Each structure stands twice: as C-alpha cells, then as structure tokens.
Amino acid sequence: DMKVTQMPRYLIKRMGENVLLECGQDMSHETMYWYRQDPGLGLQLIYISYDVDSNSEGDIPKGYRVSRKKREHFSLILDSAKTNQTSVYFCASSFGGGRYEQYFGPGTRLTVL
Amino acid sequence: TQTVSQSDAHVTVFEGDSVELRCNYSYGGSIYLSWYIQHHGRGLQFLLKYYSGNPVVQGVNGFEAEFSKSDSSFHLRKASVHWSDSAVYFCAVRNMGYKLTFGTGTSLLVDP
C-alpha cells in the first residue's frame, strides 16, 4: 500500500521552542519534499531531498532545516519556532524527477503561540 | 521560473452539472503540467498530468484536462460532477527539474 505518513498530526508549541516534524514513505521513493500551506497562498516548497544526505533549499527555506538519513524518512526541523511558522506542513515523495507525480502525506497542523 | 494562475478562487455547481476549472501558465521552456485535488483536512492527491502528446489527458474519476499552447492554458473539466467532487483543486507546473510550483487553488462546491 503506497503511503506517506506524517507525525504528529497536530502540534502546539511556544515561540522559541524547537519543533521536529517527521515524514515516512513506504515506496522507496528517491525524492521527498516539505511544503507549507497557508490560506490563499497554495503550497510553498521549503526543502527538497534527492536522496539520503542530498538536500536542497526550496523557495522558502529560511528558518527551517531538514535531515534525511534513511531513504524512507525525511525530517523538518524548526530551531526556535516563530509565530509566523504557524501553518499546515505537508510532506510528499516521488520517484526521481519532475515528470513523476508526488504522493502527499495527511499534513501536520503546527501552531506556534 | 514558470508560474500558474487559477483565476477562480471559488466555483459552485449543482450535482450532475459539468464544470471547468481554469489554469493558465507562463511559458518558459519544456512543459509539465498537472492537477491535484485536496479534500478537506487531507493531503493532495494526483489527478492527471501533461508533458507531451495528445493535448487532452484523462485522469481519475472522470476528470480530463486540455493543454493549449496558444492560450497558455490547462483547464480541468468534468462532464457530470458528484457531491464527493467538492474539494480544492490545484494546478501545478514543473520548474527546474524536480520542483513543482502550485497555483493558489480553486475551491469547488457541488450542491447536492
């Protein structure tokens, strides 16, 4: 069963706290992505990972970092979270290049107070 | 950088009606366009894609889209909608290899 999972689904943090969002996929996809979704803005790409330890900044990487030590796991880290990082975060994965569709996780709703 | 625009933020139709959701793109080289659907509280799901060949592409659940180079468009259509088609629809264009740029989405409401 092709699946992308995200943990946790809901998270409330205080400003300045560290945040760890986890993503897993069971399809052995090489490429994984982190997006955030805000009302009226669609999805914005934060980071893209081409494989283990091969990560690249997306369009809005500031304030975020990522880690990919295993092909099936991709983590998004917020060091010292800010209130403007309140958003819904989606992880996605795909086989290789841009011609392949992306499979999305269910999202994590993060609130930073 | 290629972009997409979805001019309609909200579309409301009755069940059984046909619907067209509009997407226009800025041309910048090789084309890869796709549509995704997002039901409330869920992640996005792939519907269909175009990158070459027949400009009319078929997707899941009776959706199709037509690529037009002259109009710079990739509109999504369905002949007869069901209430379960109520969702937000995103058009996307490929940029720089692996990156997709998404439009702002069109919220489709199907009245039963």
Side-chain angles (χ1 to χ4, degrees), chain B residues 35-54:
Chain B
W35 278 96
Y36 286 77
I37 179 175
Q38 184 181 31
H39 286 104
H40 182 69
R42 310 277 294 273
L44 279 70
Q45 290 178 275
F46 172 79
L47 275 180
L48 47 74
K49 66 184 175 187
Y50 171 83
Y51 56 88
S52 66
N54 189 335

Side-chain angles (χ1 to χ4, degrees), chain A:
Chain A
D1 188 25
M2 298 188 290
K3 204 170 182 181
V4 178
T5 58
Q6 291 186 238
M7 290 294 288
R9 294 292 315 278
Y10 301 90
L11 187 60
I12 299 174
K13 287 284 193 179
R14 295 193 181 278
M15 192 169 57
E17 292 185 327
N18 297 331
V19 176
L20 174 64
L21 305 185
E22 307 261 33
C23 175
Q25 50 99 359
D26 61 3
M27 298 166 278
S28 296
H29 284 168
E30 297 169 348
T31 312
M32 297 186 74
Y33 312 78
W34 276 107
Y35 295 91
R36 62 177 284 175
Q37 184 178 36
D38 301 289
L41 293 180
L43 273 79
Q44 298 175 275
L45 179 65
I46 305 171
Y47 267 93
I48 180 171
S49 174
Y50 300 103
D51 210 329
V52 172
D53 283 330
S54 178
N55 308 316
S56 180
E57 294 181 346
D59 299 320
I60 53 162
K62 188 176 179 182
Y64 304 95
R65 62 183 175 92
V66 292
S67 175
R68 192 167 180 202
K69 298 302 182 184
K70 294 183 179 180
R71 179 171 277 194
E72 61 269 25
H73 290 131
F74 190 33
S75 301
L76 180 69
I77 301 121
L78 288 66
D79 295 314
S80 187
K82 300 172 180 54
T83 56
N84 62 7
Q85 292 178 308
T86 292
S87 186
V88 180
Y89 290 86
F90 288 98
C91 175
S93 71
S94 70
F95 282 110
R99 286 191 175 186
Y100 294 96
E101 56 263 38
Q102 295 184 16
Y103 292 79
F104 282 79
T108 294
R109 182 174 293 275
L110 171 67
T111 302
V112 183
L113 302 175

Side-chain angles (χ1 to χ4, degrees), chain B residues 48-75:
Chain B
L48 47 74
K49 66 184 175 187
Y50 171 83
Y51 56 88
S52 66
N54 189 335
V56 179
V57 291
Q58 305 295 324
V60 297
N61 292 337
F63 285 97
E64 68 174 28
E66 183 167 4
F67 168 74
S68 171
K69 188 173 181 179
S70 60
D71 292 340
S72 298
S73 67
F74 188 57
H75 302 328

Side-chain angles (χ1 to χ4, degrees), chain B residues 1 21 26 70-71 74 89 100-101:
Chain B
T1 301
L21 305 182
S26 63
S70 60
D71 292 340
F74 188 57
Y89 293 79
L100 289 184
T101 298

